[in-house]
Short mmCIF file of all heavy atoms in Angstrom, two decimals:
data_model
loop_
_atom_site.label_atom_id
_atom_site.label_comp_id
_atom_site.label_asym_id
_atom_site.label_seq_id
_atom_site.Cartn_x
_atom_site.Cartn_y
_atom_site.Cartn_z
N VAL A 947 -7.91 5.18 -5.00
CA VAL A 947 -8.43 6.53 -4.75
C VAL A 947 -7.55 7.52 -5.50
O VAL A 947 -6.36 7.63 -5.22
CB VAL A 947 -8.43 6.86 -3.24
CG1 VAL A 947 -8.96 8.28 -3.01
CG2 VAL A 947 -9.24 5.85 -2.46
N ASP A 948 -8.14 8.22 -6.45
CA ASP A 948 -7.39 9.21 -7.22
C ASP A 948 -7.56 10.58 -6.54
O ASP A 948 -8.60 11.22 -6.67
CB ASP A 948 -7.89 9.27 -8.66
CG ASP A 948 -6.94 10.07 -9.56
OD1 ASP A 948 -6.14 10.86 -9.01
OD2 ASP A 948 -7.00 9.90 -10.78
N ARG A 949 -6.54 11.01 -5.82
CA ARG A 949 -6.62 12.27 -5.07
C ARG A 949 -6.46 13.50 -5.97
O ARG A 949 -6.64 14.62 -5.51
CB ARG A 949 -5.55 12.29 -3.98
CG ARG A 949 -5.68 11.17 -2.95
CD ARG A 949 -4.49 11.12 -2.03
NE ARG A 949 -3.25 10.86 -2.78
CZ ARG A 949 -2.05 10.79 -2.22
NH1 ARG A 949 -1.92 10.96 -0.91
NH2 ARG A 949 -0.98 10.55 -2.96
N THR A 950 -6.11 13.26 -7.23
CA THR A 950 -5.89 14.38 -8.15
C THR A 950 -7.13 14.73 -8.96
O THR A 950 -7.11 15.65 -9.76
CB THR A 950 -4.74 14.05 -9.11
OG1 THR A 950 -5.10 12.92 -9.92
CG2 THR A 950 -3.47 13.72 -8.34
N SER A 951 -8.21 13.98 -8.78
CA SER A 951 -9.43 14.24 -9.56
C SER A 951 -10.63 14.32 -8.64
O SER A 951 -10.53 14.14 -7.42
CB SER A 951 -9.64 13.12 -10.59
OG SER A 951 -10.05 11.94 -9.94
N TYR A 952 -11.78 14.59 -9.23
CA TYR A 952 -13.03 14.64 -8.47
C TYR A 952 -13.85 13.37 -8.70
O TYR A 952 -15.08 13.40 -8.65
CB TYR A 952 -13.84 15.88 -8.86
CG TYR A 952 -13.20 17.17 -8.40
CD1 TYR A 952 -12.40 17.92 -9.26
CD2 TYR A 952 -13.38 17.62 -7.09
CE1 TYR A 952 -11.79 19.10 -8.84
CE2 TYR A 952 -12.77 18.79 -6.66
CZ TYR A 952 -11.98 19.53 -7.54
OH TYR A 952 -11.39 20.68 -7.10
N ASP A 953 -13.18 12.27 -8.95
CA ASP A 953 -13.84 10.98 -9.16
C ASP A 953 -14.05 10.32 -7.81
O ASP A 953 -13.10 9.90 -7.15
CB ASP A 953 -12.99 10.10 -10.08
CG ASP A 953 -13.66 8.76 -10.37
OD1 ASP A 953 -14.81 8.57 -9.92
OD2 ASP A 953 -13.03 7.93 -11.05
N PHE A 954 -15.31 10.21 -7.40
CA PHE A 954 -15.62 9.63 -6.09
C PHE A 954 -16.19 8.21 -6.22
O PHE A 954 -16.92 7.75 -5.34
CB PHE A 954 -16.61 10.52 -5.34
CG PHE A 954 -16.06 11.89 -5.04
CD1 PHE A 954 -16.47 12.99 -5.78
CD2 PHE A 954 -15.11 12.08 -4.05
CE1 PHE A 954 -15.95 14.26 -5.52
CE2 PHE A 954 -14.59 13.33 -3.78
CZ PHE A 954 -15.01 14.43 -4.52
N ASP A 955 -15.83 7.54 -7.32
CA ASP A 955 -16.31 6.17 -7.52
C ASP A 955 -15.79 5.24 -6.43
O ASP A 955 -16.40 4.20 -6.15
CB ASP A 955 -15.88 5.67 -8.90
CG ASP A 955 -16.52 4.33 -9.24
OD1 ASP A 955 -17.77 4.25 -9.26
OD2 ASP A 955 -15.78 3.36 -9.48
N PHE A 956 -14.66 5.59 -5.81
CA PHE A 956 -14.11 4.74 -4.75
C PHE A 956 -15.08 4.62 -3.57
O PHE A 956 -15.10 3.60 -2.87
CB PHE A 956 -12.75 5.27 -4.28
CG PHE A 956 -12.81 6.55 -3.49
CD1 PHE A 956 -12.92 6.53 -2.11
CD2 PHE A 956 -12.75 7.78 -4.13
CE1 PHE A 956 -12.96 7.71 -1.37
CE2 PHE A 956 -12.79 8.96 -3.41
CZ PHE A 956 -12.91 8.93 -2.03
N ILE A 957 -15.90 5.65 -3.36
CA ILE A 957 -16.89 5.59 -2.29
C ILE A 957 -17.94 4.53 -2.61
O ILE A 957 -18.31 3.72 -1.75
CB ILE A 957 -17.55 6.97 -2.07
CG1 ILE A 957 -16.51 7.95 -1.50
CG2 ILE A 957 -18.76 6.86 -1.13
CD1 ILE A 957 -17.04 9.35 -1.29
N ARG A 958 -18.40 4.53 -3.86
CA ARG A 958 -19.37 3.51 -4.29
C ARG A 958 -18.76 2.11 -4.15
O ARG A 958 -19.43 1.19 -3.68
CB ARG A 958 -19.79 3.76 -5.73
CG ARG A 958 -20.79 2.72 -6.26
CD ARG A 958 -20.90 2.75 -7.76
NE ARG A 958 -19.63 2.50 -8.43
CZ ARG A 958 -19.10 1.28 -8.58
NH1 ARG A 958 -19.72 0.21 -8.07
NH2 ARG A 958 -17.96 1.13 -9.21
N GLN A 959 -17.50 1.95 -4.58
CA GLN A 959 -16.85 0.65 -4.49
C GLN A 959 -16.76 0.18 -3.04
O GLN A 959 -17.00 -1.00 -2.73
CB GLN A 959 -15.46 0.71 -5.11
CG GLN A 959 -15.44 0.93 -6.60
CD GLN A 959 -14.02 0.97 -7.15
OE1 GLN A 959 -13.22 0.05 -6.92
NE2 GLN A 959 -13.67 2.05 -7.84
N ALA A 960 -16.40 1.10 -2.15
CA ALA A 960 -16.27 0.74 -0.73
C ALA A 960 -17.62 0.35 -0.15
O ALA A 960 -17.73 -0.64 0.59
CB ALA A 960 -15.69 1.92 0.05
N VAL A 961 -18.66 1.10 -0.50
CA VAL A 961 -20.01 0.78 -0.01
C VAL A 961 -20.45 -0.58 -0.55
O VAL A 961 -21.06 -1.38 0.18
CB VAL A 961 -21.01 1.89 -0.41
CG1 VAL A 961 -22.44 1.47 -0.07
CG2 VAL A 961 -20.67 3.19 0.31
N ASP A 962 -20.14 -0.86 -1.81
CA ASP A 962 -20.49 -2.16 -2.40
C ASP A 962 -19.83 -3.30 -1.64
O ASP A 962 -20.46 -4.34 -1.38
CB ASP A 962 -20.07 -2.21 -3.88
CG ASP A 962 -20.97 -1.39 -4.78
OD1 ASP A 962 -22.06 -0.98 -4.32
OD2 ASP A 962 -20.58 -1.16 -5.95
N GLU A 963 -18.56 -3.13 -1.29
CA GLU A 963 -17.85 -4.18 -0.54
C GLU A 963 -18.49 -4.39 0.83
O GLU A 963 -18.66 -5.52 1.29
CB GLU A 963 -16.37 -3.82 -0.37
CG GLU A 963 -15.56 -3.79 -1.66
CD GLU A 963 -15.44 -5.15 -2.33
OE1 GLU A 963 -15.78 -6.17 -1.70
OE2 GLU A 963 -15.00 -5.19 -3.49
N LEU A 964 -18.85 -3.31 1.47
CA LEU A 964 -19.50 -3.40 2.79
C LEU A 964 -20.88 -4.03 2.68
O LEU A 964 -21.29 -4.81 3.54
CB LEU A 964 -19.59 -2.01 3.43
CG LEU A 964 -18.23 -1.41 3.84
CD1 LEU A 964 -18.37 0.08 4.12
CD2 LEU A 964 -17.67 -2.12 5.07
N ASP A 965 -21.61 -3.70 1.61
CA ASP A 965 -22.92 -4.31 1.40
C ASP A 965 -22.82 -5.83 1.21
O ASP A 965 -23.78 -6.56 1.47
CB ASP A 965 -23.61 -3.69 0.18
CG ASP A 965 -24.11 -2.27 0.45
OD1 ASP A 965 -24.19 -1.88 1.64
OD2 ASP A 965 -24.41 -1.55 -0.51
N ARG A 966 -21.66 -6.28 0.75
CA ARG A 966 -21.43 -7.72 0.57
C ARG A 966 -20.96 -8.38 1.87
O ARG A 966 -20.66 -9.57 1.90
CB ARG A 966 -20.38 -7.96 -0.52
CG ARG A 966 -20.80 -7.50 -1.91
CD ARG A 966 -19.77 -7.95 -2.95
NE ARG A 966 -20.05 -7.38 -4.26
CZ ARG A 966 -19.39 -6.37 -4.81
NH1 ARG A 966 -18.37 -5.81 -4.14
NH2 ARG A 966 -19.70 -5.91 -5.99
N GLY A 967 -20.84 -7.58 2.94
CA GLY A 967 -20.41 -8.12 4.22
C GLY A 967 -18.91 -8.14 4.41
O GLY A 967 -18.40 -8.83 5.30
N HIS A 968 -18.19 -7.38 3.59
CA HIS A 968 -16.73 -7.38 3.66
C HIS A 968 -16.21 -6.29 4.60
O HIS A 968 -16.98 -5.54 5.20
CB HIS A 968 -16.15 -7.19 2.25
CG HIS A 968 -16.50 -8.30 1.32
ND1 HIS A 968 -16.37 -8.21 -0.05
CD2 HIS A 968 -16.98 -9.55 1.55
CE1 HIS A 968 -16.75 -9.34 -0.62
NE2 HIS A 968 -17.13 -10.17 0.33
N VAL A 969 -14.87 -6.21 4.69
CA VAL A 969 -14.20 -5.24 5.57
C VAL A 969 -13.45 -4.23 4.70
O VAL A 969 -12.72 -4.61 3.79
CB VAL A 969 -13.21 -5.93 6.52
CG1 VAL A 969 -12.52 -4.90 7.42
CG2 VAL A 969 -13.92 -6.98 7.37
N VAL A 970 -13.64 -2.95 5.00
CA VAL A 970 -12.94 -1.88 4.29
C VAL A 970 -12.00 -1.18 5.26
O VAL A 970 -12.38 -0.86 6.39
CB VAL A 970 -13.95 -0.87 3.69
CG1 VAL A 970 -13.23 0.39 3.20
CG2 VAL A 970 -14.72 -1.50 2.55
N GLY A 971 -10.77 -0.98 4.83
CA GLY A 971 -9.79 -0.28 5.66
C GLY A 971 -9.53 1.13 5.14
O GLY A 971 -9.42 1.34 3.93
N ILE A 972 -9.48 2.09 6.05
CA ILE A 972 -9.31 3.48 5.66
C ILE A 972 -8.27 4.16 6.55
O ILE A 972 -8.34 4.06 7.78
CB ILE A 972 -10.63 4.27 5.74
CG1 ILE A 972 -11.71 3.61 4.87
CG2 ILE A 972 -10.43 5.73 5.30
CD1 ILE A 972 -13.08 4.28 4.98
N PHE A 973 -7.33 4.86 5.92
CA PHE A 973 -6.44 5.77 6.62
C PHE A 973 -6.96 7.18 6.32
O PHE A 973 -6.64 7.75 5.27
CB PHE A 973 -5.00 5.62 6.12
CG PHE A 973 -4.42 4.24 6.33
CD1 PHE A 973 -4.05 3.46 5.24
CD2 PHE A 973 -4.25 3.74 7.60
CE1 PHE A 973 -3.52 2.20 5.43
CE2 PHE A 973 -3.72 2.47 7.81
CZ PHE A 973 -3.36 1.70 6.71
N PRO A 974 -7.78 7.75 7.19
CA PRO A 974 -8.49 9.00 6.86
C PRO A 974 -7.61 10.23 6.67
O PRO A 974 -8.07 11.23 6.14
CB PRO A 974 -9.45 9.18 8.04
CG PRO A 974 -8.81 8.42 9.16
CD PRO A 974 -8.13 7.25 8.52
N GLU A 975 -6.34 10.15 7.08
CA GLU A 975 -5.45 11.28 6.83
C GLU A 975 -5.13 11.40 5.34
O GLU A 975 -4.74 12.46 4.86
CB GLU A 975 -4.16 11.12 7.63
CG GLU A 975 -4.35 11.21 9.13
CD GLU A 975 -3.15 10.70 9.89
OE1 GLU A 975 -3.09 9.48 10.18
OE2 GLU A 975 -2.25 11.51 10.19
N GLY A 976 -5.27 10.27 4.61
CA GLY A 976 -5.11 10.30 3.17
C GLY A 976 -3.68 10.37 2.68
O GLY A 976 -3.43 10.37 1.47
N GLN A 977 -2.71 10.41 3.58
CA GLN A 977 -1.30 10.48 3.20
C GLN A 977 -0.44 10.18 4.42
O GLN A 977 -0.94 10.18 5.56
CB GLN A 977 -0.95 11.86 2.66
CG GLN A 977 -1.15 12.98 3.67
CD GLN A 977 -0.87 14.35 3.09
OE1 GLN A 977 -0.62 14.51 1.92
NE2 GLN A 977 -0.91 15.37 3.93
N LEU A 978 0.83 9.92 4.17
CA LEU A 978 1.75 9.71 5.28
C LEU A 978 2.00 11.02 6.00
O LEU A 978 2.00 12.09 5.37
CB LEU A 978 3.07 9.13 4.77
CG LEU A 978 3.00 7.70 4.23
CD1 LEU A 978 4.32 7.32 3.58
CD2 LEU A 978 2.66 6.72 5.35
N PRO A 979 2.23 10.99 7.31
CA PRO A 979 2.40 12.23 8.08
C PRO A 979 3.70 12.95 7.75
O PRO A 979 4.72 12.32 7.50
CB PRO A 979 2.38 11.75 9.52
CG PRO A 979 2.88 10.34 9.45
CD PRO A 979 2.35 9.80 8.16
N ARG A 980 3.63 14.26 7.76
CA ARG A 980 4.85 15.06 7.60
C ARG A 980 5.48 15.38 8.95
O ARG A 980 6.63 15.79 9.03
CB ARG A 980 4.51 16.36 6.86
CG ARG A 980 4.06 16.14 5.41
CD ARG A 980 3.94 17.44 4.66
NE ARG A 980 3.63 17.24 3.25
CZ ARG A 980 2.41 17.26 2.76
NH1 ARG A 980 1.38 17.47 3.56
NH2 ARG A 980 2.20 17.06 1.47
N THR A 981 4.69 15.26 10.01
CA THR A 981 5.17 15.47 11.38
C THR A 981 4.69 14.31 12.23
O THR A 981 4.05 13.37 11.73
CB THR A 981 4.63 16.79 11.96
OG1 THR A 981 3.19 16.68 12.14
CG2 THR A 981 4.92 17.96 11.02
#
Side-chain angles (χ1 to χ4, degrees):
V947 179
D948 192 341
R949 299 172 299 178
T950 63
S951 73
Y952 291 97
D953 182 4
F954 297 104
D955 188 58
F956 71 91
I957 292 178
R958 179 196 59 78
Q959 293 181 54
V961 172
D962 286 347
E963 294 295 349
L964 292 165
D965 287 344
R966 296 187 188 104
H968 297 164
V969 180
V970 169
I972 303 176
F973 299 116
E975 294 165 271
Q977 61 183 6
L978 291 172
R980 294 189 175 94
T981 67

